[in-house]
Amino acid sequence: MPKDAAVEEFARSVRALKARDGRSYEALGRRLSVSASTLHRYCSGATVPEEFAVVDRLALLCGADEEERRTLEAVWSRADRTRRPPAAEPEAGPEPDAGPRPAPEPEPAPAPASEPEPEPVHARVQLEPVHARVPGLPPGRRRRRWGWMGLVGGALAVVGTVTIGAVLLPGKTPEPAAEPPAPLTWTVASHLWKNGCGHTYLVDRTPPPPPEAADARSWAAAQGAVDGGETLVRVSVQGKGAAAVVLQALHVRVVERGAPLPWAAYRMDDGCGGAVTPRRFEVDLDRPRPVARGLDGYDASGQEGRTLPAVSFPYAVTAAEPEELLVFAGAAGCDCRWYLELVWSSEGRTGTARITDTGGRPFRTSGIAGRPVHEYDAVGGRWITGASSGQRG
C-alpha cells in the first residue's frame, strides 16, 4: 500500500472512532493523557503515533470490540511502517553456469559394529590371593563364593552412595511449583512531552532538528539523549479477567545516583498548548527516598473549570475498566536511574509489578539547573541559545 494511502487509512479509522464517541478533542485527550492538538494530528494524518497503546485506549473508550481493535492494529502497523526506512535487499550474485551436475556419490555403507571388548573383571584379579587362604574349600567353589560377595558388595556400595547423596548433599531439594501469572497486564510509554508539546533533552553533541512528539523515542535513541530535568511516564493497567485487581500502592526505586550530566540542553517545542492539566503523580528524585505523590488535575476547557481528582490507592481495575497512571519525575541535582513498583492484590493473591523502560532498563533523568537551554530556530534552521534553565526541564 502506498505511503499516503496507508496514513490516510489510519487517519480515517481514528476519525471514525472519534465520530462514534461524540466527545470533543479536549475531552478525549483528557482521558488518553494527550493534548487535544496531538489527537487532532492523529485524525488529520499529520502524525502516526509511535506506539499502538494510545490508539488501543482510544478504541476502548469509543466502544470498539475485539475484532475492530485487531483490524485497527493492522491499519496502524501499515501506517507505522511508512515512517521507517525500507530494509536494504542484498544484491544478487552472478548465476553459476547451468551445466550438467554430477550425480551424487552413493553414501558408503556403514562399517559393521565391532564387538565390544569384555570389561576386565577386577574382582577376580583382586580376590584370587584370598582364595588360597580359605581352608577346606575347592578352588572353584572359593572363586564362585568370593565372586558373588564382590558383586553384592559393589551393589551395596552403589546403593549407599545414592542414598547418602540424596540425604546429605546440599542443593538437591525439589524445585517449588511455578507461580501462576499475574492477573493484570500493563503497558508503558515514556519519552512523553508535557501536554504533548514540550520537553528537554541532554545531548553530548549538536542534534538534528527536533522531531514531532510521536517520534521522540526514536529521535532520542539515535542521539543517545537523556531526559533533562523531568521524565514523564504513562502506565496503562488493566485486569486480565472478570475479577477485579486492586492496585494498593506505587513505589519509586532509585538504583543509581550520580552528578548531573555536563551535556548541553535542547528544548523540544512545537508551539501547541492545552487547557487540561492531567491528574498525575509527582516524584522528586533528589530526595533520599523519593515518594510518588498523587496530585489533582484541572480542566479549563469549559466555561467553568473543574478539578480532576487524583488517583488514590487502593484503586480497582478490570479488563473492561483500565486505569492510567501518569508519573512526572523531576531531578535537579542528580543523574538518576530509577523504576516503579506497582503493588496489587486479587482473589487472595498479592504481588508487585516492576515498571521499567523498554527492554527492562530503568528510566533515566538528569538535572539541568543553571545551564543555558538551546531552542530550535525553524526560520534559520539552527539551534540557538535561549534563557538559562530553572530547577526542572
Side-chain angles (χ1 to χ4, degrees):
M1 179 178 290
K3 174 179 179 179
D4 294 341
V7 174
E8 175 54 32
E9 181 187 18
F10 168 76
R12 186 166 56 250
S13 300
V14 177
R15 288 196 300 269
L17 285 173
K18 180 185 178 300
R20 176 196 299 184
D21 184 80
R23 280 179 281 194
S24 65
Y25 286 108
E26 290 79 7
L28 279 175
R30 180 170 64 252
R31 297 293 303 275
L32 298 172
S33 296
V34 300
S35 66
S37 56
T38 297
L39 184 57
H40 185 269
R41 287 196 294 271
Y42 296 161
C43 291
S44 65
T47 301
V48 177
E50 192 172 58
E51 297 177 345
F52 178 68
V54 64
V55 187
D56 194 35
R57 290 195 304 274
L58 175 63
L60 284 172
L61 287 174
C62 297
D65 58 25
E66 191 68 27
E67 182 64 29
E68 290 175 309
R69 290 165 61 195
R70 283 196 295 267
T71 302
L72 183 62
E73 184 173 11
V75 171
W76 169 83
S77 297
R78 288 192 292 270
D80 181 62
R81 283 194 295 269
T82 64
R83 300 187 296 112
R84 308 179 189 278
E89 297 185 359
E91 296 183 0
E95 292 267 344
D97 292 337
R101 298 183 181 179
E105 296 183 1
E107 297 184 1
S114 59
E115 291 287 335
E117 296 183 2
E119 297 182 1
V121 183
H122 300 290
R124 177 177 295 179
V125 175
Q126 294 173 354
L127 295 177
E128 189 63 34
V130 181
H131 301 159
R133 295 197 298 270
V134 180
L137 285 176
R141 292 185 63 184
R142 287 197 294 267
R143 283 195 296 270
R144 286 195 294 271
R145 175 176 292 181
W146 284 104
W148 279 107
M149 291 174 67
L151 291 175
V152 172
L156 290 175
V158 172
V159 172
T161 302
V162 173
T163 305
I164 293 173
V167 174
L168 299 180
L169 291 180
K172 299 295 183 179
T173 55
E175 296 183 0
E179 278 287 324
L184 74 163
T185 182
W186 62 91
T187 58
V188 181
S190 59
H191 290 282
L192 304 178
W193 295 3
K194 184 177 290 185
N195 296 326
C197 304
H199 190 64
T200 300
Y201 284 110
L202 293 172
V203 189
D204 63 351
R205 59 186 180 274
T206 303
E212 294 187 7
D215 300 323
R217 175 179 291 279
S218 56
W219 185 94
Q223 312 311 315
V226 173
D227 289 333
E230 190 172 55
T231 297
L232 278 64
V233 177
R234 182 175 58 237
V235 185
S236 302
V237 190
Q238 67 182 116
K240 290 182 177 178
V245 180
V246 180
L247 310 181
Q248 301 285 358
L250 184 67
H251 301 306
V252 184
R253 308 299 185 196
V254 177
V255 295
E256 187 176 341
R257 191 187 299 270
L261 293 171
W263 300 349
Y266 295 87
R267 177 75 179 174
M268 313 287 116
D269 195 345
D270 60 8
C272 67
V276 178
T277 302
R279 58 182 184 173
R280 64 204 180 279
F281 291 91
E282 286 199 351
V283 178
D284 184 357
L285 295 173
D286 292 314
R287 297 177 63 88
R289 294 183 178 180
V291 176
R293 297 187 305 114
L295 298 180
D296 294 340
Y298 190 76
D299 182 3
S301 59
Q303 294 182 352
E304 296 183 1
R306 64 186 185 92
T307 299
L308 307 176
V311 175
S312 57
F313 295 108
Y315 194 96
V317 297
T318 64
E321 297 179 346
E323 179 57 66
E324 287 190 345
L325 309 176
L326 188 62
V327 179
F328 287 20
C334 76
D335 174 15
C336 287
R337 299 174 191 261
W338 55 280
Y339 65 90
L340 300 168
E341 285 184 343
L342 184 61
V343 183
W344 58 266
S345 64
S346 178
E347 297 186 311
R349 294 177 55 201
T350 60
T352 301
R354 179 169 174 165
I355 311 298
T356 59
D357 205 351
T358 304
R361 296 186 298 270
F363 305 107
R364 187 176 184 184
T365 314
S366 179
I368 58 173
R371 74 187 65 188
V373 177
H374 298 77
E375 298 176 350
Y376 192 72
D377 178 13
V379 177
R382 60 192 180 95
W383 291 96
I384 58 176
T385 303
S388 295
S389 66
Q391 292 297 310
R392 298 283 189 260

